[in-house]
Amino acid sequence: MTNNNNYLVDVAELKTWFSIRAGVLRKTVGHVKAVDGVSFRIRPGRTLGLVGESGCGKTTVGRTLLRLISPTAGRFLFDGEDVFAASFKRLKALRRDIQMMFQDPYGSLNPRMNIEEIVSEPLLVHRLDGRAKRREKAAELLDKVGLSAEHLGRYPHEFSGGQRQRIGIARALALEPKLLICDEPVSALDVSIQSQIINLLQDLQKEMGLTYLFIAHDLAVVEHISEDVAVMYLGRIVEFASRDALYADPRHPYTQALLSAIPEPTPVKTKHRIVLGGEVPSPSNPPSGCPFHPRCPLAEQRCREEIQSLDPIDPSSRHLAACWKAKKG
């Protein structure tokens, strides 16, 4: 199916709610609104960074797009096709084009399988190629991510964290996907190894034409790899912009606070640190109005009563912010 609007990924009003059950009859008494109305689009070959604090719902977005978690509402068009409406058989075929890298480079690898079995398993599941061909493909993939064929017979515990993440990348690329959902792929790694993995992902993107949804909480990493950035807070996107626009001129108070927390490369203090008060509200009982208003230093009565939609900061801008005070002029 051809995507006529030039976007490979088109997510509209995605909601993922989890039921809260209580009592002997386990009746639903409420919902945890992990994702509550998220929309974004990604063009082929580009990277969207999805950032926010732990618990904001960004990982749930990635897992819902793969239908590892069932969506409550919303639409996900992949190359023009509605993934949420796909049958089980069609979904299996779609997953050849949509793969995921997980955060924990050890927990995501089966310790009972050797590296050849791990990397070639997607080919086996989709019944592609014979055993000899799968072994050859696994060796090629390891070479592509900076390892070698001599590692095929080893097991995950014999590798460092960075090497295990490279194995995870090789497995994700086995089916030659179009979209790779990267769920905090470097957060568990040392800083020096993080840069190696990020550079590898960028090289693979250029070589294979990959599209990335890069989920992270480290804005310094996101700045390095992303062309566009979406900032999430309590299940919602509160700001969306190109990388350059967002880092140069953040408009939402939450984004400003996150950027102020990025460590400086020199010990000389050069910027004002914004310290947010209070705790992140519970997604099972979100505040009225703007979800950020209990912690926002600029909040006023209007913020407590009304939710500001994600709108352009001026009529001609691609820079969107869900804040009354974000507009220019």
Side-chain angles (χ1 to χ4, degrees), residues 32-243:
V32 175
K33 299 179 180 180
V35 179
D36 194 24
V38 163
S39 301
F40 59 83
R41 296 185 293 183
I42 314 175
R43 294 186 185 277
R46 293 179 67 87
T47 301
L48 172 64
L50 188 61
V51 302
E53 294 173 286
S54 295
C56 71
K58 55 189 185 296
T59 291
T60 304
V61 169
R63 290 175 178 266
T64 304
L65 296 186
L66 268 173
R67 276 178 57 181
L68 300 176
I69 300 173
S70 297
T72 303
R75 184 194 68 192
F76 170 31
L77 298 183
F78 177 75
D79 205 14
E81 183 171 357
D82 190 345
V83 175
F84 293 162
S87 65
F88 177 81
K89 182 178 181 180
R90 180 57 190 152
L91 179 62
K92 182 177 179 180
L94 282 170
R95 283 179 174 161
R96 291 183 59 176
D97 289 328
I98 309 172
Q99 289 290 303
M100 191 165 189
M101 278 181 62
F102 296 93
Q103 178 177 357
D104 184 354
Y106 188 75
S108 62
L109 304 179
N110 188 334
R112 296 177 179 273
M113 297 172 68
N114 64 33
I115 304 310
E116 179 187 348
E117 293 169 329
I118 290 172
V119 174
S120 63
E121 185 179 25
L123 300 170
L124 180 63
V125 170
H126 288 269
R127 299 180 180 179
L128 301 175
D129 304 325
R131 183 173 181 179
K133 184 65 175 178
R134 290 198 300 267
R135 179 180 176 84
E136 180 182 338
K137 183 69 175 291
E140 292 175 359
L141 288 166
L142 288 185
D143 180 69
K144 192 181 291 289
V145 299
L147 298 175
S148 66
E150 68 181 30
H151 295 124
L152 287 173
R154 300 184 186 179
Y155 287 81
H157 72 271
E158 299 179 68
F159 295 88
S160 67
Q163 290 174 319
R164 288 196 289 266
Q165 197 59 290
R166 289 173 186 268
I167 294 166
I169 295 172
R171 177 179 59 185
L173 296 179
L175 298 172
E176 300 180 3
K178 297 178 181 178
L179 172 65
L180 193 56
I181 299 173
C182 307
D183 182 17
E184 305 213 32
V186 298
S187 63
L189 306 177
D190 294 339
V191 174
S192 60
I193 305 301
Q194 288 184 10
S195 62
Q196 295 177 20
I197 297 300
I198 293 298
N199 290 336
L200 173 61
L201 288 172
Q202 290 180 314
D203 291 341
L204 291 170
Q205 184 174 44
K206 293 176 183 177
E207 179 184 344
M208 303 178 67
L210 295 166
T211 302
Y212 292 147
L213 174 60
F214 193 90
I215 298 168
H217 63 265
D218 188 333
L219 275 84
V221 170
V222 169
E223 182 181 14
H224 187 70
I225 194 172
S226 303
E227 285 98 4
D228 298 302
V229 181
V231 181
M232 281 191 71
Y233 183 81
L234 206 64
R236 297 173 177 268
I237 292 178
V238 297
E239 188 161 4
F240 182 97
S242 68
R243 172 190 58 201

Side-chain angles (χ1 to χ4, degrees), residues 283-301:
S284 64
N285 185 29
S288 60
C290 172
F292 186 60
H293 87 256
R295 305 174 71 197
C296 181
L298 305 178
E300 54 188 37
Q301 188 59 34

